[in-house]
Amino acid sequence: MSVIKLKNMQFFGYHGVYDYEKEVGAPFEVDVEIETSFAHAIKSDDINETINYDAIFKLVNSIVSNQRFNLIETLANAIGNQILSKFEIQKVLVRVRKPKVQISGILDMIEVEIEKSK
């Protein structure tokens, strides 16, 4: 098995528990790590034998930008489920970060991580 990583994809979405988060929106960052075999792709040097990074990016963008969730845990789960169902992979790890979090304290960002497999 090998891993394909898409790191720090950046999107804008309307996820959050509070009304202002759902109205104003916020930036979100997403990492996706896909575990799959590169054997056929390495032999053929053919994009059709591997995971198309652009297709993954577009799928994640669609989920983050067009759907709405209260929790980033639910957002990460939706991304993982969609990737597993649409691509021939064994396992996916999804990290979702929300850099602009309103809390009573100093914090760079909040991040959740979810791993899903077939």
Side-chain angles (χ1 to χ4, degrees), residues 80-113:
N81 284 340
Q82 286 292 312
I83 291 172
L84 272 181
S85 72
K86 295 185 184 289
F87 297 91
E88 291 295 320
I89 63 170
Q90 304 304 312
K91 188 187 316 183
V92 64
L93 176 79
V94 178
R95 287 183 202 91
V96 174
R97 287 180 296 282
K98 190 172 184 179
K100 296 185 179 183
V101 179
Q102 300 287 326
I103 66 163
S104 303
I106 299 170
L107 177 73
D108 283 342
M109 70 181 62
I110 185 74
E111 177 181 77
V112 299
E113 178 177 297

Side-chain angles (χ1 to χ4, degrees), residues 66-79:
N66 298 324
Q67 296 183 32
R68 293 181 183 220
F69 300 100
N70 289 329
L71 306 176
I72 62 172
E73 293 89 330
T74 312
L75 173 60
N77 189 65
I79 293 168

Side-chain angles (χ1 to χ4, degrees), residues 7 9 11 30 40 45 51 62 69 73 75 87-89:
K7 298 183 104 173
M9 295 180 282
F11 309 104
V30 179
H40 294 296
D45 196 29
I51 303 301
S62 175
F69 300 100
E73 293 89 330
L75 173 60
F87 297 91
E88 291 295 320
I89 63 170

Side-chain angles (χ1 to χ4, degrees), residues 21-58:
E21 294 176 301
K22 296 173 185 176
E23 292 170 15
V24 176
F28 291 84
E29 300 170 352
V30 179
D31 299 337
V32 172
E33 297 182 16
I34 296 167
E35 191 171 306
T36 189
S37 172
F38 292 170
H40 294 296
I42 291 169
K43 266 188 198 175
S44 67
D45 196 29
D46 183 350
I47 183 107
N48 297 311
E49 297 292 336
T50 191
I51 303 301
N52 184 320
Y53 319 138
D54 188 50
I56 296 287
F57 185 92
K58 287 176 180 173

